[in-house]
Amino acid sequence: MTETRATGYDGLSSRLVPEDELREFLLDCFGIAEHELFVGHADRVAEDLRDVPQDVVFAAFCTYHQAHGHFAMHFDVGIEGRLADRVGRGEFAARFAAHFGAYVLHGTTEPPGLWTVTLADGSRLRAAMEEEDDRSVLHAATAPIPGLPEIRVDEGLWRIR
């Protein structure tokens, strides 16, 4: 039997989630115990880990920071392979979006310059985004995104390979 490799789920959320809510979500989502999880602001990781023994290994290690533009938060969750077996990347984005009533941008296999946006209702869109000066701004999507009426709808994004 082949073991699943450790991986990471990163993305952008339209909602800035308080750390305690993020922690509770991750514990429930991955079905892990409190001691198996680290959650901290990206700018304070070293400070937060100062009193943690160096040999401690977390099953899930999440950092986050505020984002700008059409997104309020960037998150990066490193997970052990056994957790990836429990919850895949797309399922994680769908659970996050539904739980927090947000839209989540993520990607892995999209053509260059395109991303997947998962809405709170679980539907998935393909979107094009520009990143400039620490701002992530969507400029086109395959369907309307709630709360962003200015985004151009372009179903042709599905045809780009």
Side-chain angles (χ1 to χ4, degrees):
M1 183 169 118
T2 306
E3 277 191 42
T4 302
R5 296 179 63 151
T7 190
Y9 298 164
D10 64 324
L12 294 167
S13 167
S14 62
R15 180 171 172 228
L16 181 60
V17 177
E19 187 172 310
D20 59 331
E21 290 180 34
L22 181 59
R23 175 181 304 285
E24 288 305 314
F25 167 75
L26 293 169
L27 290 170
D28 182 58
C29 181
F30 291 119
I32 57 176
E34 179 76 32
H35 72 274
E36 295 181 283
L37 175 65
F38 173 84
V39 178
H41 191 280
D43 292 339
R44 295 188 309 267
V45 173
E47 180 181 323
D48 290 348
L49 292 173
R50 180 182 39 233
D51 297 327
V52 177
Q54 289 186 5
D55 61 344
V56 169
V57 177
F58 296 98
F61 192 95
C62 176
T63 60
Y64 65 91
H65 61 86
Q66 187 173 357
H68 303 283
H70 287 140
F71 299 94
M73 175 178 155
H74 175 268
F75 61 85
D76 191 354
V77 186
I79 59 172
E80 291 181 345
R82 67 183 171 98
L83 302 184
D85 289 338
R86 290 181 193 169
V87 181
R89 186 180 309 276
E91 183 181 351
F92 177 81
R95 286 184 185 189
F96 190 105
H99 185 85
F100 295 113
Y103 52 89
V104 175
L105 180 130
H106 56 99
T108 54
T109 60
E110 298 81 2
L114 297 179
W115 303 91
T116 295
V117 174
T118 300
L119 303 180
D121 67 4
S123 58
R124 289 189 170 97
L125 315 172
R126 187 173 275 181
M129 178 179 67
E130 294 175 4
E131 295 178 275
E132 187 175 304
D133 298 328
D134 198 29
R135 294 177 50 84
S136 300
V137 178
L138 297 169
H139 61 85
T142 54
I145 297 175
L148 297 177
E150 72 276 13
I151 304 302
R152 180 174 51 91
V153 174
D154 181 355
E155 291 183 15
L157 295 176
W158 286 120
R159 293 189 295 274
I160 299 173
R161 300 273 177 232

